[in-house]
Amino acid sequence: GRGRADRTDWARWCGGRGRTDRTDWTHWPYWPHRRDSVIRQDSHIRRGGILLLPRLLGPRAAPAPPDQSVRKKETALQHLKVYVYAICKNEEAFAARWYESMKEADGVCVLDTGSSDQTVSVLRGLGASVESAVIDPWRFDDARNRSLALVPEDADICVCTDLDEVFRAGWREHMERAWTDGVSLLHYRYTWNFLENGQEGVVFWIGKAHARHGYRWVNPVHEVLEHTKDTPSPYRVAEGVQLDHLPDHSKSRSSYLPLLELAVEENPDNDRNMHYLGREYMFYGMWEKCRETLLRHLSLPSAVWKPERCASMRYIAIACEQLQQDAEAERWHFLSIAEAPELREPWLETARFFLKKKDWLGAAWFAERTLAITERTYYYMNSQKAWLEEPYDVASLGYYYLSKETDPKARALELVKKALEFAPGDSRLLANLRFME
């Protein structure tokens, strides 16, 4: 479905089903936006503000919004046939709120997969077209495709949402303006969670508004749209569209692990699913399987996307820590930084590692390097904690305990004198000693 969190708050692993709340993730990579050039990144080609996608539209296929300076002019508003479609089960509490935000569409189609509450009657009473079906064995792609089949054949734009999501008003008009000739997919802004103070937490760019024909859902879980035609599939960002995720945290996600194992069994060469499976093992504390699976991910020829490789390396390091293999953990932390040094996450994870080892200088230094990165990226494995209080917290602890154990000036004198033991006649070292004294 919507992917899961980068759960690095290990203290929350107690109780329940042995899983943490997945509230710490983003989904989509940032893509440069230029008007008059062709840019190839990760098998994507951009021409004149429109992007041409590969066949599989996974998390790496979504752009951040283009810069204001190079945005194309909005097209005149056109009236298209817009339909929303969804799957649901026992969503009575969210049905009215969801429908209210979706009713700008010409029609709302829902596949109920076995509700035992009043979800179906509530939705039908509001005006949605609802059909019921049992998907057995359960897999998300089959359910999504069955729900898409409910949309009329002559629809122009099909918008897939879930019942715990809410569009902000005006979304349809923005989509119609962005739906220019040749475009078959739209991306738009998505807020995955909100902080306790009401501010947005994780924000990324999601792409689930597509043409009626030429797309299908694939993968038993963490399903993605696959373009089924041989022709290019251009997409644009629908600026102004905002979708908010307001989830029911009580719902179980226990089916994800077996479905991910099935996904990898069906397609062992799919690097995305291999990474997701290794991460899921980490979420469950299955450290040997986590490490083994992520090593398999890194070995796949198609596993070339550096932010995702960096995440696999971080998770391997965490697994090694849990397996009491600190030397290996340190090596993988350093490798993760080398793989994607522009990201905060590997630096912060390494700072945490040194803090746990009571290496105060290392904790402070790596936390400071985390804070030195000021441009936030939009990758699905990003951790919102890297942009909140944690790097400041780790740095402060590192400096505090370092100051209690070490006098920096005394340590500087000690080290320069040690250097002079090896090079007693070195004029620069002698000058430094006089300066420090």
Side-chain angles (χ1 to χ4, degrees), residues 22-319:
R22 308 181 189 199
T23 56
D24 194 10
W25 70 306
T26 55
H27 229 331
W28 311 107
Y30 174 82
W31 298 100
H33 188 88
R34 293 168 56 190
R35 181 186 293 274
D36 298 316
S37 62
V38 177
I39 303 174
R40 180 183 297 271
Q41 294 196 28
D42 205 21
S43 302
H44 298 69
I45 303 175
R46 182 189 295 275
R47 288 191 177 90
I50 293 181
L51 293 92
L52 309 181
L53 275 64
R55 291 175 63 84
L56 189 62
L57 304 170
R60 286 162 285 177
D67 294 335
Q68 291 282 355
S69 60
V70 293
R71 287 177 180 161
K72 281 177 167 283
K73 287 186 177 181
E74 287 187 337
T75 58
L77 182 62
Q78 52 186 327
H79 185 78
L80 302 170
K81 294 180 180 178
V82 180
Y83 282 79
V84 169
Y85 69 101
I87 58 175
C88 72
K89 183 177 181 180
N90 295 327
E91 303 278 6
E92 179 183 359
F94 300 118
R97 182 188 69 186
W98 173 79
Y99 183 85
E100 180 65 24
S101 78
M102 303 292 153
K103 68 182 184 181
E104 293 180 20
D106 294 297
V108 176
C109 303
V110 181
L111 181 74
D112 184 87
T113 61
S115 292
S116 58
D117 62 7
Q118 299 302 309
T119 300
V120 172
S121 60
V122 170
L123 288 171
R124 284 176 175 163
L126 292 167
S129 174
V130 185
E131 292 191 16
S132 298
V134 175
I135 309 297
D136 187 22
W138 172 261
R139 46 189 297 157
F140 283 93
D141 53 355
D142 285 351
R144 298 282 184 200
N145 288 324
R146 289 283 294 275
S147 65
L148 175 57
L150 304 178
V151 177
E153 293 286 327
D154 63 348
D156 295 302
I157 306 176
C158 304
V159 186
C160 180
T161 64
D162 288 302
L163 270 73
D164 59 0
E165 297 171 338
V166 175
F167 270 127
R168 297 186 192 176
W171 63 267
R172 178 196 174 123
E173 178 179 338
H174 292 301
M175 286 193 181
E176 287 183 317
R177 290 189 185 280
W179 196 265
T180 55
D181 290 343
V183 170
S184 64
L185 188 71
L186 296 177
H187 291 275
Y188 40 91
R189 194 174 187 272
Y190 184 70
T191 302
W192 192 82
N193 74 310
F194 291 84
L195 306 179
E196 291 182 0
N197 61 9
Q199 293 182 333
E200 291 182 318
V202 174
V203 178
F204 55 89
W205 303 88
I206 196 169
K208 294 186 178 181
H210 58 90
R212 175 63 181 85
H213 302 284
Y215 288 93
R216 68 178 178 185
W217 293 92
V218 296
N219 295 333
V221 68
H222 294 306
E223 65 277 14
V224 294
L225 282 168
E226 182 183 61
H227 187 236
T228 60
K229 296 182 178 180
D230 293 331
T231 55
S233 53
Y235 68 89
R236 291 190 67 191
V237 172
E239 300 175 47
V241 176
Q242 172 64 40
L243 184 64
D244 294 331
H245 182 219
L246 307 171
D248 179 359
H249 293 294
S250 67
K251 279 204 168 185
S252 171
R253 302 296 191 269
S254 60
S255 66
Y256 279 53
L257 178 55
L259 288 173
L260 274 169
E261 290 174 329
L262 175 61
V264 169
E265 180 183 343
E266 290 180 347
N267 187 359
D269 295 325
N270 185 308
D271 60 285
R272 173 181 178 269
N273 288 341
M274 189 70 73
H275 172 78
Y276 278 168
L277 178 59
R279 185 183 66 170
E280 197 74 9
Y281 285 138
M282 178 186 70
F283 293 161
Y284 276 95
M286 301 168 70
W287 303 115
E288 288 286 5
K289 283 192 171 184
C290 167
R291 179 171 61 178
E292 175 188 344
T293 304
L294 293 173
L295 287 171
R296 288 171 62 195
H297 167 249
L298 294 174
S299 71
L300 291 173
S302 58
V304 296
W305 191 41
K306 287 185 176 295
E308 193 168 69
R309 289 180 60 83
C310 169
S312 282
M313 293 173 183
R314 287 196 289 121
Y315 304 156
I316 291 171
I318 291 167

Side-chain angles (χ1 to χ4, degrees), residues 360 398-408:
W360 312 124
Y399 280 124
Y400 175 77
Y401 286 108
L402 182 64
S403 68
K404 289 183 72 68
E405 293 184 0
T406 305
D407 178 345

